[in-house]
Structure formats: C-alpha cells, structure tokens
C-alpha cells in the first residue's frame, strides 16, 4: 500500500467520524464484535444511547449495515496476513565479510595466519512451507564467494619456540623461521539443507522455528610473493643478557667424502672414530685450525649452515583447501513489527568434520600437489552461527532485507599428516644406512660416550625415515592441529513468495 493510498484512507476516516461514531457501537466494543442480538426491534433504544430522541430511517439503517459489512470484510482481509506460511519462497543475498583463519601445530610449534580476509559473497536459499495443516518446512541454500583485495599471510615458526629440535653432536639444534607473503584470489563455497517445524513455539508476537540440517563450507586461500628468514641454532651456544637470550647460528662441516663418494671416518683427539665432522657454533672461529682438521683425501669441503638463509618465492608458496561439514541444529525467531516490517534472528550450532589439504610447491622435501593434510573426526570441531535481519515489504510478494552474520568454526586435536618426497629422502636414508653400518661394525665395548651418543642419533634418524618409507613416505601426528576460522558480515537481500 502506497503512502498516498494510506493518506487518502486516513482523510476519509476522519471525514466520516461523525457517522461512524454512531455506528461503531453497534458492532465493536474492544473485542471486535457485539452479539448479533443487539440488532433488531430494540435498535432504536440502542441508538438512543448515542443520541436521545434521534430517529433513523430505513436508508440510514442500511448505511450502518453496509458500513458494518465493509469493515467486517476489511477485518477478514487483515486476518489472512497472519495465516500460517505456505508455498515457495526464494531468498537471494549479497554479503561482504571480514574473516580470520589461524591454525597451529602444537608439537611442531608452527602457526599460519590469514588475518583480515575480505570476501564478497553471493548466496541464495529456497524454502517450501507446507502450510497450517502440516506446519513443517524444508530449506536448501548455497553460497559462492571471492576474496576482495589482498592481505598478508604470516607463516610463523618463531613465536611458539621454534621447530625441529633434535639432540645431536652432544647438544641440541633447533630451527626458527618466519615468512610473510601476499594472499589474494581466494574462493569459498557452501551449501546447506534443513528440515524445520514452522513457528513451533510462540512467545507473544515472537514465533520460533526449530530445525536440523547439514552444512558444507569450504574456503580456498593462496599465498604468493613470499619472503622469509630461517635459522638453525646450536642451543648449547646461547647467552643470556638480562631478560634477553641470544643464540649463535649452527655451523658445521658434515660429513666428508673421498673421491669414490664414500664417507670418511677419522679418529679425533680423544680416540673416537667418527664420520669426519666439526661443529663450530660460537663467537669466533679459528679457520686455520678448522682447515687443518679436514682429512687430506677429502674431495671438496662443504660448510653446513643448517637451515640458515633468506629466501624469496615469487610464485604460489602456500595453497590450502579447508572443508567444514556436518550436522547442525538451529533456532530461527521472527517478530512482526507491523504488516510491512519484520525482524528475524537465528542461532545455529553444528558439529562439523574438519579436513584441510595444503601444498607448498617450493618445499623440495615434500610431495605435491598434497604436501600436508589435516583431519578432524566427528566431535573434534564445532560451529556457532548467528544472524539478525530486518525486512520490509515492497509488495504482497517481495521483501527487501538488511542484516548481520557471524560464524565461528574451531577444531582441536585434529591429526596432521605430512607427505614426503621420496626422491629427496631416499639418498639421505642410504647415507644414514652407511653410517649406522659403520658404527655397528665397531666393538660396542670400545665406544666412547660421544660415539654412543652419535650412534644413537643416527639410528634414530634412520629408524624414523625407515618408518616414513614403510608408511608410503608419509607421517601422521595425532592431535596436532588447532584451527579457527571466524567471520563477520553485513548482507542485503530480497525475498520473493510464490
């Protein structure tokens, strides 16, 4: 109804007030209708309550009855707007969302963060209401989103204490790394289906619909133009200055090879027969002394700095596809402000299963296109969804809406699997097999404490790689992953009834 029509009716009602005032008491008393027995032979006395001595003729009585008929029809029409929902309804929405995705590995002490992701999302929903005789409903929805603009991704292997701590050479070596890249061109997909009991609860003018459903949500994020620093430190060469600790980088010469490609074994000053190597982490190095210790039959000298270097990766350095899918329960509430305006709100709680596949193409030690895969079983994750919306009618079948959305997904203790490059690790395993075979050829009783420690270290490395090989060059860490995705958005939409 247009503003002009409503204004015209208002003026007409005001103009007719003197007539209606006498007629109103014949059928309305605040409970809408009087008993029909008020009409009849005693009508004249009834009218006298409003004007003693006034006499109504036949035509005037007909006018009153006609007025009654018209108002009664109007009242019936108003009641139809409160009938139970029935038939098809289509909803279409355009949203702008801000989101964060953060996941970390507990034992590996690594964390990956995508903060401030902007999404433009197009979504739709089709609903069918069975009507008052069967107060049920079915809804099916879908969504597609694209990343808007660029953000920075941070791959952080420093904040949680570093990674890859290992006991070796009589001490402990740890790695620390951090890189920052550009994330853009991400995508998201989703669909859901639900069955509900339409307006099952009523609290005054608030109607509540409970429902159960299944939701699928997937987001894809990529990183390029990634730059980083990584460093291995020998923890036995760390110094503390007040509240600050400084660790010198790991430097070593390990191992040496002869012209035939065999590992050279030497006897040190303590009588230990070991693969020729030297750890030289510390403040100052006497390179003349170091060079004098290198065996004469060594072919070339390799200085091992561990994972200590700067890198820049122009192409795609990280790519992740993450899926949250599972059942949920929801409550949708509806409050009619008037015949033309409606406020709705909803809360959803789900138990999705979690799966994330990652690829880091520049990691030559990892397999591709799947480098890592995280998986959470039913009950490891949960989803909380909230929404609120205001809708206004522009016709009998079309409504426009504006509202807010919030989603929070979290998984704890998901399993993490890493897939290794066999072509990279098989030569390393072959070398470890040679070193362990050498130690096994020695008399165990003659081994010094240093030799025993090194033998144990190489055996552990060998057994670990053998286990990875037997597992198809993959390794799984149980309960390793904690992952959180959260978003907040504003959306506008249109609803059409059929």
């Amino acid at each position: 109804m247009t503003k002009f029509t409503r204004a015209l009716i208002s003026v007409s009602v005001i103009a007719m007030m003197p007539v209606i005032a006498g007629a109103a008491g014949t059928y309305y008393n605040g409970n809408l209708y009087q008993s029909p027995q008020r009409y009849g032979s005693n009508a004249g006395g009834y009218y006298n309550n409003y004007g003693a001595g006034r006499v109504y003729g036949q035509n005037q009585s007909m006018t009153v009855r006609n007025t009654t008929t018209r108002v009664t029809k109007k009242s019936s029409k108003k009641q139809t707007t409160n009938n139970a929902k029935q038939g098809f309804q289509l909803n279409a929405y355009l949203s702008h969302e801000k989101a964060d995705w953060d996941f970390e590995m507990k034992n590996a002490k690594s964390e990956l963060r995508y903060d401030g992701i902007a999404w433009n999302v197009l979504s739709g929903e089709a609903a069918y209401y069975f009507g008052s005789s069967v107060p049920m409903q079915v809804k099916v929805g879908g969504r597609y989103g694209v990343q808007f603009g660029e953000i920075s991704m941070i791959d952080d292997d420093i904040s949680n204490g570093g990674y890859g701590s290992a006991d070796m050479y009589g001490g402990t070596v740890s790695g620390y790394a951090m890189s920052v890249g550009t994330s853009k061109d991400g995508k998201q997909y989703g669909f859901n289906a639900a069955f509900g009991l339409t307006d099952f609860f009523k609290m005054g003018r608030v109607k509540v619909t409970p429902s159960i459903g299944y939701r699928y949500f997937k987001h894809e994020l990529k990183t390029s133009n990634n730059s980083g620093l990584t460093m291995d430190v020998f923890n036995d060469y760390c110094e503390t200055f007040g509240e600050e600790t400084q660790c010198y980088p790991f430097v070593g010469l390990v191992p040496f090879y002869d012209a035939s490609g065999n590992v050279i074994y030497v006897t040190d000053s303590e009588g230990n027969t070991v693969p020729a190597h030297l750890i030289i982490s510390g403040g100052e190095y006497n390179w003349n002394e170091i060079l004098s210790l290198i065996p004469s039959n060594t072919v070339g000298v390799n200085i091992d700095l561990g994972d200590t270097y700067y890198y820049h990766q122009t192409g795609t350095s990280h790519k992740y596809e993450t899926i949250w899918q599972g059942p949920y329960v929801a409550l949708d509430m509806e409050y009619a402000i008037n015949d033309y305006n409606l406020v709705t709100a909803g809360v959803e709680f789900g138990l999705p299963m979690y799966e994330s596949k990652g690829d880091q193409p520049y990691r030559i030690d990892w397999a591709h296109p799947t480098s890592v895969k995280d998986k959470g079983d039913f009950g490891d994750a949960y989803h909380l969804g909230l929404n609120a919306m205001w809708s206004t009618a522009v016709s009998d079948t079309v409504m426009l809406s504006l509202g807010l959305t919030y989603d929070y997904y979290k998984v704890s203790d998901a399993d993490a699997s890493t897939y290794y490059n066999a072509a990279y690790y098989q030569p390393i395993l072959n070398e470890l097999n040679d070193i362990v075979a050498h130690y096994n050829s020695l008399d165990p009783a003659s081994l010094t404490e240093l030799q025993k420690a090194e033998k144990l270290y190489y055996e552990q490395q060998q057994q670990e790689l053998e286990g990875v090989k037997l597992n198809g060059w993959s390794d799984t860490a149980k309960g390793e992953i904690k992952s959180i995705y959260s978003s907040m958005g504003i959306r506008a939409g249109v609803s059409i009834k059929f």
Side-chain angles (χ1 to χ4, degrees):
M1 182 180 294
T2 65
K3 293 182 178 178
F4 174 76
T5 305
R6 290 198 295 269
L8 181 59
I9 292 176
S10 299
V11 172
S12 300
V13 170
I14 293 173
M16 294 179 64
M17 282 301 292
V19 177
I20 296 175
T26 63
Y27 68 93
Y28 185 78
N29 67 352
N31 294 318
L32 193 61
Y33 292 104
Q34 289 280 8
S35 171
Q37 296 180 6
R38 298 298 295 271
Y39 300 92
S41 59
N42 294 328
Y46 178 73
Y47 295 136
N48 287 339
N49 291 333
Y50 294 89
R54 183 177 297 177
V55 178
Y56 290 85
Q58 183 177 2
N59 292 335
Q60 290 170 320
S61 298
M62 290 297 294
T63 301
V64 171
R65 286 195 292 270
N66 289 338
T67 303
T68 301
T69 302
R70 286 195 297 270
V71 176
T72 301
K73 290 180 179 179
K74 180 179 179 181
S75 177
S76 299
K77 182 178 180 181
K78 182 177 181 180
Q79 285 182 329
T80 61
T81 63
N82 295 322
N83 286 345
K85 302 181 182 72
Q86 186 170 357
F88 284 100
Q89 180 173 317
L90 294 180
N91 306 314
Y93 303 106
L94 181 62
S95 307
H96 184 74
E97 300 175 354
K98 282 285 189 178
D100 300 324
W101 184 45
D102 180 296
F103 78 89
E104 61 178 272
M105 304 180 70
K106 300 174 184 178
N107 294 319
K109 299 179 181 179
S110 179
E111 183 177 9
L112 197 70
R113 300 197 301 270
Y114 289 84
D115 296 331
I117 311 165
W119 297 105
N120 288 332
V121 182
L122 179 64
S123 60
E125 183 180 63
Y128 181 76
Y129 301 94
F130 290 86
S132 57
S133 59
V134 185
M136 296 185 297
Q137 63 185 50
V138 176
K139 290 185 177 181
V140 178
R143 62 188 287 136
Y144 172 76
V146 295
Q147 187 176 354
F148 177 76
E150 301 178 354
I151 63 165
S152 293
M153 177 229 66
I154 299 177
D155 191 345
D156 182 358
D157 295 322
I158 293 179
S159 298
N160 291 334
Y163 66 92
S165 178
D167 294 329
M168 56 188 299
Y169 309 125
T172 303
V173 176
S174 296
Y176 298 87
M178 178 174 285
S179 67
V180 179
T182 300
S183 172
K184 61 180 181 178
D185 300 329
K187 291 181 173 58
Q188 62 163 271
Y189 314 85
F191 71 84
N192 69 290
F195 169 82
L197 301 176
T198 308
D199 300 339
F200 189 73
F201 303 108
K202 294 182 180 179
M203 298 175 290
R205 298 176 65 181
V206 178
K207 302 175 183 179
V208 182
T209 298
S211 61
I212 59 173
Y214 190 90
R215 182 174 299 278
Y216 172 96
F217 175 57
K218 177 181 179 180
H219 49 87
E220 298 178 355
L221 295 169
K222 295 190 299 182
T223 303
S224 59
N225 196 33
N226 187 49
S227 299
L229 291 170
T230 179
M231 175 182 289
D232 274 359
V233 301
F234 202 58
N235 294 336
D236 296 71
Y237 290 92
C238 293
E239 297 183 39
T240 300
F241 304 93
E243 296 181 352
E244 178 183 357
T245 299
Q246 296 181 358
C247 297
Y248 294 103
F250 164 87
V251 180
L253 305 176
V254 184
F256 302 126
Y257 297 90
D258 60 21
S260 299
N262 299 315
V263 176
I264 300 174
Y265 294 88
V266 298
T267 301
D268 62 17
S269 59
E270 298 181 2
N272 298 317
T273 301
V274 296
H277 69 272
L278 186 64
I279 302 298
I280 49 177
S281 290
E284 297 181 0
Y285 309 128
N286 186 334
W287 288 103
N288 290 328
E289 180 180 351
I290 291 170
L291 293 174
S292 68
L293 297 176
I294 298 175
S296 59
N297 58 339
T298 298
V299 179
V301 176
N302 294 318
I303 299 177
D304 182 8
L305 301 177
D307 289 331
T308 301
Y309 54 89
Y310 161 82
Y311 58 94
H312 177 71
Q313 302 160 334
T314 56
T316 299
S317 60
H318 300 70
K319 181 179 180 181
Y320 289 90
E321 298 179 357
T322 304
I323 297 173
W324 312 78
Q325 60 175 327
Y328 68 85
V329 295
L331 287 177
D332 294 299
M333 292 153 280
E334 177 183 298
Y335 175 78
I337 301 174
N338 52 40
D339 289 346
Y340 310 101
N341 294 278
L342 189 69
V343 175
T344 58
V347 57
E348 176 184 317
F349 181 79
L351 294 175
M353 291 176 287
Y354 169 86
E355 181 177 290
S356 183
K357 293 182 180 180
D359 184 20
Q360 296 189 19
Y362 288 97
R363 289 289 299 261
I364 60 174
D365 57 330
W366 283 358
H368 307 289
T370 300
S371 303
V372 293
K373 182 178 179 180
D374 308 327
K375 187 175 181 60
D377 293 328
F378 182 75
D380 291 339
Y382 71 89
H383 165 231
L384 176 65
L386 304 173
N387 67 81
M389 184 162 294
W390 167 73
S391 302
T392 185
V394 295
S395 73
D396 291 341
T397 58
V398 179
M399 298 188 79
L400 300 180
S401 58
L402 183 66
L404 300 173
T405 62
Y406 175 77
D407 287 284
Y408 184 87
Y409 292 85
K410 180 179 180 180
V411 65
S412 300
D413 301 325
D415 298 338
S417 297
T418 304
Y419 300 92
Y420 298 97
N421 180 4
Y424 177 87
Y425 278 103
Q426 185 61 59
I428 296 176
L429 179 58
N430 294 338
E431 182 179 315
L432 288 170
N433 290 336
D434 291 341
I435 296 175
V436 171
H438 168 74
Y439 277 112
N440 290 335
S441 67
L442 302 177
D443 180 8
S446 66
L447 297 178
T448 65
E449 292 302 318
L450 177 60
Q451 286 177 310
K452 291 179 181 178
E454 290 184 339
K455 179 176 182 294
L456 178 61
Y457 167 75
Y458 286 120
E459 286 177 341
Q460 290 174 341
Q461 296 296 308
Q462 178 200 40
Q463 292 171 5
E464 182 177 343
L465 274 185
E466 285 287 1
V468 170
K469 181 179 180 180
L470 290 174
N471 199 38
W473 291 105
S474 67
D475 186 33
T476 299
K478 297 291 186 180
E480 176 74 354
I481 299 296
K482 181 177 77 173
S483 178
I484 298 174
Y485 178 92
S486 61
S487 68
M488 180 176 290
I490 182 171
R491 69 180 182 183
V494 57
S495 300
I496 303 174
K497 297 178 182 179
F498 294 90

